[in-house]
Amino acid sequence: MGEYFACRKALRSDQLTEIRLGIGFFRGDIEFNLAPAGVSAEKTAERLREPVRSIFKEFSDRLKNGESVEKAWIRALTYNYDKTYLKAEDIEMLYPFGKITEYLDIEKQDKGIELLVSYIESKVKELNVNFSETRRFCRSASVLTGLLAVVILL
């Protein structure tokens, strides 16, 4: 149980990194292959691991059904939120990606995506620093709880 709670930060860090990769793949496919957003999102989903794959797959499906990029991205994040270890603050910081991609010119898109990527990188660094401390604490707490349970049962 303690290991599960400790590993949540590592899993959150991995998923944020995967989203950063997905954003890069998506942006690159649109810029260099001049592919439509729905096709780019589908290609991006194929290159990612679960549950981030589900976010981009949902994003692609919604784009192909005619939703705007902004709404499709927000709904894909919201729909798949329960499958991830992301927190609400992460989701809120990821929401603007759809708006950035849809409404801004290329220069502003690059700046917006750069800002989003820098947020993700700083959050990943923070989580990795806190992971070892949390892991040690959770392991100790779970061992002590187990010992306490044994003492009570005796």
Side-chain angles (χ1 to χ4, degrees), residues 49-65:
R49 295 176 297 174
E50 287 295 338
V52 177
R53 172 182 287 160
S54 297
I55 293 171
F56 279 89
K57 182 67 175 139
E58 179 77 19
F59 181 45
S60 170
D61 292 344
R62 289 182 178 280
L63 287 172
K64 288 179 180 178
N65 288 333

Side-chain angles (χ1 to χ4, degrees), residues 1-140:
M1 187 80 133
E3 189 68 22
Y4 169 76
F5 285 111
C7 288
R8 287 178 61 94
K9 284 188 179 185
L11 294 170
R12 180 178 167 209
S13 172
D14 290 345
Q15 289 175 358
L16 283 169
T17 302
E18 194 78 7
I19 287 173
R20 181 177 55 89
L21 286 172
I23 288 171
F25 293 152
F26 178 76
R27 183 76 179 130
D29 196 49
I30 287 176
E31 280 185 22
F32 299 117
N33 296 332
L34 302 173
V39 174
S40 293
E42 187 173 10
K43 287 181 184 178
T44 299
E46 293 170 1
R47 299 172 76 177
L48 301 173
R49 295 176 297 174
E50 287 295 338
V52 177
R53 172 182 287 160
S54 297
I55 293 171
F56 279 89
K57 182 67 175 139
E58 179 77 19
F59 181 45
S60 170
D61 292 344
R62 289 182 178 280
L63 287 172
K64 288 179 180 178
N65 288 333
E67 284 189 34
S68 70
V69 175
E70 181 181 11
K71 285 183 181 178
W73 178 248
I74 289 172
R75 288 184 178 161
L77 284 172
T78 305
Y79 180 76
N80 291 287
Y81 174 70
D82 293 339
K83 298 176 188 174
T84 68
Y85 289 98
L86 301 176
K87 290 191 174 185
E89 68 184 60
D90 300 327
I91 298 296
E92 288 178 23
M93 284 303 296
L94 292 170
Y95 278 164
F97 175 68
K99 193 172 196 173
I100 290 168
T101 305
E102 186 170 30
Y103 294 117
L104 301 177
D105 62 26
I106 291 177
E107 184 178 314
K108 289 181 181 175
Q109 284 178 357
D110 287 339
K111 287 180 183 179
I113 290 173
E114 192 176 301
L115 183 66
L116 180 61
V117 167
S118 69
Y119 164 78
I120 291 172
E121 288 172 350
S122 69
K123 191 53 80 173
V124 166
K125 284 180 187 176
E126 177 186 322
L127 289 169
N128 288 338
V129 167
N130 292 334
F131 171 67
S132 61
E133 296 170 8
T134 303
R135 188 174 194 179
R136 199 172 320 123
F137 172 75
C138 287
R139 279 185 176 172
S140 299

